[in-house]
Amino acid sequence: MTWSKRIFRFSHTLLGQQRLAIMLVCTIVLCISLGSSMIYEYISFTHDSRTRLGALADIIAAEVSAALVFGDNTAIEKSLQSLNADPSITYLIVLNDQGKVAAQYVRQDLPQKPSDIEQRLAQIRKRINTSIHKFSLEVSRPIIHDGEQLGIILLELDSSLFLKKLLVSFGIGIVILLFSMVGSYLLSRRLGQIVTYPLLSLTNIMEEVTSTKDYRLRAEVSDITELARLAEGFNEMLVEISNRDDALLERQERLHRQANYDTLTGLPNRTLFNDRLAQALRRAERTKETLAVLFIDLDDFKLINDAHGHRVGDLLLEEVSRRLNKDTRADDTLARLGGDEFTIFLQGVKSAENALQVARKLLNALLNVFLLDDKQMYVSASFGIALFPDHGNSAEVLLKSADAAMYVAKQKGKNYIELFTHALYYKASERLSLQGDLHRALENGEFVLHYQPRVNLQNGDMSGVEALVRWQHPERGLVSPLTFIPLAEETGLIMELGEWVLKEACRQMQHWHRKGILVPRVSVNVSPLQFRRQNIVELVKSTLTSTGLSVRSLELEITESALMDDINQAIETLKQLQQLGVHISIDDFGTGYSSLSHLRSLPVNTLKVDRSFVMNAHISDEDAQILEAIFAMAHSLNLEIVVEGIECEEQHNLLRMKTSCEVQGYYYARPMPAADLEVLLFEQTMTVAPRNPDPGVFPIL
Ligand code: C2E
Ligand code: MG
Ligand code: MG
């Protein structure tokens, strides 16, 4: 940087301006005092000198007056010689009354030039007549004797001596000035340290904070009140900024965590998992390593959740994530995708067997007893495994493949590990294509209802029918509800489908009633999702109004698990349905986890015992006893009972002894289209009238 620039910068700093101001003030003050003292000295010197010269001239005038009377110029000059003792007198001229030089004295060291004397005389005369005379160092005095003026004395003082003295004083003044400037410079530095230093340190801190963004830095608080306030204010501002910064960082951190981590288990979520997997795949591609993706889904987690509540469900998920984490290596990533779905990718896998071993280890870890909320429980899980590069080369495809393998593991009875194969892929893609077809099916009218009779064992009468939906697929033929109902639930299409089933069943019933075919009651299955989300009460009301069907002819079947999901909400909805007059039964009873206390509080009419309880009841005493216990319980709760899945005579015989029991099963009739049921009912009235006295055999068989 050039000097001029430095000076410019310096003069634009507070310190520079302060120093310049102090030095300028000092210099001006000193210059004024020096000038005034010079002027004063000059004035007092001229005044003193004139007084002294005047007195000297008077003395000499008195001395030379007598000699002048006699015109004794020699005597005059002699007496003038005494002036040699005073070196300050330059010259003295005595003029007679004619104005002629009578005698003169010129200091010896001066050149004696008569012309000079004349010249000077002329100057003196001129000055005497002007005001300058007052300040000149020349004096004129008249020579008076006996009252008569004999002549004039002119006397001049040598001012050079005085000028020398003045110069010395000036020199001293300048030296003092220089010292003062140095002093003021030093003083300004000191002042700078007192005032400017805290300001400078404040500026430095400010600059440091700006460049480092470190808001924990603090300014030094000075002793000077104003500066202390400034520094304290600045520090408070920093505290404020730093607090806001911390809050902002915390929020950012929280947002980052929310975006990338699962809040319940603290595990990476799907986004972060996909990200890490994509990175690992890029690495594996370079190093030609095999990578395995494990898709884990807990078995029957929903049932546990329903039976023990969400709190226990959450505790279970946390414990599961801990167990899985414990057995996961540091460079493998475990994530929770949502619900009860977990996924892990393993790096540097040597073979498929290697991945299967890890999966077995993880499954074993999960099979150990869980102690949650003082309750012991057991959990299993279904594992799907996909390998890179064999089963996909992107995070998305690998995850899909592992998911498809897991789906197969579930279908194989859960608690199972399945390795992805390409055949399996076709199954999965078929499932996907079926899901796609499902959307069009409703619009294209591909759904139909079949009706399965329910028989009253006491009198052998048909007490009602269950409406069971069928999908008449244009290419695949009849698709089982066991295949498409879960798909419809996954996609949410179950809402529309359920609505259609209810309307169609009510319409059909009303149609039969109008034709005089008396089917006492139709029971319609309500999916858990439909029961929870759809306003089922309003739907039932509007359907009954639009079809004109009597409410007494309608029964709704709701599975145990759908009711247990939110028991209070379920009770509320069921109450409203019962107030309408709708008959309600718990479907697939015995497969869920409903407790006796829950059952007691539920406003339902019937228990539909799942077919698994009757399947072996005729060959196993144990099963028969369980069935007996269910009957006793239903009786004590004042609930009607329907047993599903009666397939053979032995099962029928086992139940025919029971009072107030209804049955449903292939033994009596398979689900059939409405038209077939009409034919059967017609044939029955034609052929079996009066009514078959044996209540054990349903007449339509
Ligand atoms: P579910 O409600 O328990 O219906 C009874 C199922 O058992 C029917 O199967 C029926 O054909 C079958 N079944 C009846 N008697 C026997 C028997 O003696 N032996 C055997 N092995 N099975 C028998 P389907 O029609 O295949 O329906 C299966 C499930 O699909 C139903 O079980 C129900 O949960 C669901 N589903 C069917 N239709 C609908 C519907 O319209 N809406 C809803 N949400 N679900 C439906
Ligand atoms: Mg049912
Ligand atoms: Mg059932």
Side-chain angles (χ1 to χ4, degrees), residues 287-571:
T287 54
K288 304 276 177 250
E289 269 181 13
T290 302
L291 203 138
V293 174
L294 272 59
F295 200 107
I296 307 160
D297 190 290
L298 299 184
D299 297 331
D300 299 322
F301 173 71
K302 204 179 157 319
L303 294 179
I304 294 173
N305 226 2
D306 291 347
H308 301 289
H310 290 291
R311 215 180 73 79
V312 174
D314 285 353
L315 289 175
L316 176 67
L317 290 173
E318 284 176 282
E319 183 55 25
V320 164
S321 74
R322 259 193 294 277
R323 290 191 189 180
L324 293 174
N325 219 356
K326 203 167 141 257
D327 284 324
T328 310
R329 283 185 317 189
D331 52 348
D332 299 338
T333 294
L334 165 69
R336 180 178 171 221
L337 299 184
D340 57 343
E341 289 177 349
F342 294 85
T343 181
I344 306 177
F345 70 78
L346 313 172
Q347 302 196 67
V349 174
K350 293 190 180 64
S351 62
E353 183 48 40
N354 196 194
L356 281 164
Q357 268 171 6
V358 175
R360 271 181 227 123
K361 195 168 94 182
L362 293 172
L363 181 57
N364 280 335
L366 295 182
L367 291 177
N368 291 329
V369 63
F370 284 83
L371 192 70
L372 307 168
D373 222 12
D374 290 337
K375 289 182 191 111
Q376 280 195 348
M377 55 191 78
Y378 291 90
V379 182
S380 63
S382 303
F383 281 63
I385 303 175
L387 299 174
F388 166 82
D390 296 355
H391 306 143
N393 49 15
S394 72
E396 200 191 346
V397 174
L398 280 168
L399 212 58
K400 261 191 193 164
S401 305
D403 186 14
M406 187 282 297
Y407 189 77
V408 174
K410 282 258 186 247
Q411 282 184 328
K412 285 190 176 170
K414 305 172 182 173
N415 193 14
Y416 202 83
I417 299 166
E418 183 74 30
L419 183 68
F420 181 84
T421 58
H422 287 283
L424 191 150
Y425 168 76
Y426 289 113
K427 263 194 196 164
S429 61
E430 203 175 72
R431 193 164 68 98
L432 280 179
S433 91
L434 213 60
Q435 229 170 29
D437 292 351
L438 206 56
H439 279 279
R440 287 193 311 274
L442 205 60
E443 289 164 25
N444 297 347
E446 291 169 17
F447 291 110
V448 281
L449 286 190
H450 281 192
Y451 298 89
Q452 185 178 32
R454 194 197 278 183
V455 180
N456 184 333
L457 273 184
Q458 268 191 320
N459 53 22
D461 278 354
M462 185 181 76
S463 55
V465 288
E466 180 175 4
L468 294 158
V469 69
R470 299 285 178 263
W471 181 10
Q472 194 65 53
H473 194 282
E475 289 131 36
R476 296 169 201 258
L478 213 59
V479 183
S480 160
L482 293 172
T483 310
F484 69 83
I485 293 281
L487 288 183
E489 284 195 324
E490 271 173 36
T491 54
L493 194 84
I494 193 73
M495 306 289 192
E496 275 178 74
L497 181 60
E499 202 175 321
W500 178 84
V501 170
L502 182 69
K503 281 189 179 149
E504 177 56 20
C506 291
R507 190 202 59 76
Q508 182 62 58
M509 278 292 278
Q510 187 62 354
H511 175 71
W512 280 329
H513 286 182
R514 284 208 188 103
K515 276 173 84 177
I517 303 169
L518 284 179
V519 178
R521 196 187 282 149
V522 65
S523 63
V524 175
N525 291 287
V526 176
S527 115
L529 199 71
Q530 206 187 348
F531 184 70
R532 272 200 304 273
R533 300 248 187 94
Q534 215 166 28
N535 191 343
I536 194 82
V537 183
E538 281 310 308
L539 181 67
V540 167
K541 267 193 212 169
S542 66
T543 310
L544 290 174
T545 314
S546 66
T547 55
L549 184 73
S550 158
V551 72
R552 276 175 290 121
S553 304
L554 181 65
E555 175 174 328
L556 295 181
E557 291 187 14
I558 303 149
T559 56
E560 213 178 336
S561 52
L563 295 175
M564 294 304 145
D565 196 33
D566 183 350
I567 186 92
N568 295 327
Q569 182 59 46
I571 291 172

